[in-house]
Amino acid sequence: MAESFGELLRAARRDRGLTQQQLADFATVSVRTVRDLETGRCRAPRPGTVRLLARQLGLSGAERERFEELAHRGSARPAQRPGPPPAGPGRGLAAQIAGLWHRSGDPVLWLSPDGKLPALSDPTRTLLVIDGGDPAARPEDVVRLLRTCPGLRVVTT
C-alpha cells in the first residue's frame, strides 16, 4: 500500500496506463505539477488540484478518501528519486509534439485508456494524441471525429 500521496498518485496513474503528460492534460494541470507531486517535491497540493486528479483517475469511495487524506496530510518521508518512466503511450515524438503544443497555450487531449474520445471545446485549436499501439484506438471513431471537426489536429504514434 502506498505510504505517501506521491506514491499513491503514481500507482493510480500507472494502474490506469497513463503517462504523467496524459494525466496532466486530462486533469488540466501541468506535467510539472504531476511530477512534483509524485516525487514528493511538492507535499501540499491545492485542494482543487487534488479534486481534478482524483476525478481524472476515476477515484471514488474509500480510494478517493484515502487519496484526499494523504494529499492533505502530506508525507513525513523524504522524497525519493523516481525510477525511469514506464514504457507506454505518449513516449517519443508524440509526447514532444504534445508538450510543445501545450506550452503554446493550446489544448492537448489524449485518447483515454478506455477508448473514449474526449469532448472538444475548441476543435480548431486542439491537438488529439492517439497511441497507435493502444487497442482501444478505433480508426472509425477517429475518422468520424475528423469529419465532425475538420480543424482538429491529430498525432498518432
Side-chain angles (χ1 to χ4, degrees):
M1 179 177 272
E3 298 179 34
S4 72
F5 176 72
E7 290 170 339
L8 183 60
L9 175 61
R10 180 181 293 124
R13 175 183 59 79
R14 286 182 173 172
D15 286 349
R16 285 147 182 87
L18 297 172
T19 65
Q20 289 179 341
Q21 182 70 57
Q22 289 170 320
L23 177 57
D25 290 341
F26 285 143
T28 63
V29 299
S30 72
V31 71
R32 181 178 179 179
T33 296
V34 174
R35 182 186 61 239
D36 288 353
L37 289 170
E38 285 188 359
T39 61
R41 174 174 263 160
C42 173
R43 296 177 191 228
R46 295 179 180 167
T49 301
V50 174
R51 282 191 299 275
L52 288 169
L53 291 169
R55 183 174 63 226
Q56 293 308 316
L57 290 167
L59 303 178
S60 61
E63 189 178 29
R64 184 172 182 141
E65 288 175 22
R66 175 142 173 78
F67 187 80
E68 291 176 351
E69 173 193 336
L70 286 175
H72 297 301
R73 181 177 58 176
S75 172
R77 294 180 60 199
Q80 297 179 343
R81 292 182 118 356
R91 296 278 164 234
L93 183 60
Q96 293 173 21
I97 292 169
L100 290 169
W101 190 267
H102 186 70
R103 278 193 280 284
S104 72
D106 292 322
V108 175
L109 298 173
W110 294 78
L111 183 67
S112 67
D114 60 7
K116 292 182 182 172
L117 294 171
L120 302 173
S121 56
D122 182 4
T124 61
R125 296 174 44 110
T126 301
L127 177 69
L128 176 64
V129 182
I130 301 170
D131 176 28
D134 185 347
R138 296 182 11 184
E140 58 271 15
D141 291 337
V142 176
V143 169
R144 187 177 67 247
L145 183 64
L146 288 170
R147 286 188 176 132
T148 305
C149 308
L152 179 67
R153 291 151 174 102
V154 179
V155 171
T156 59
T157 59

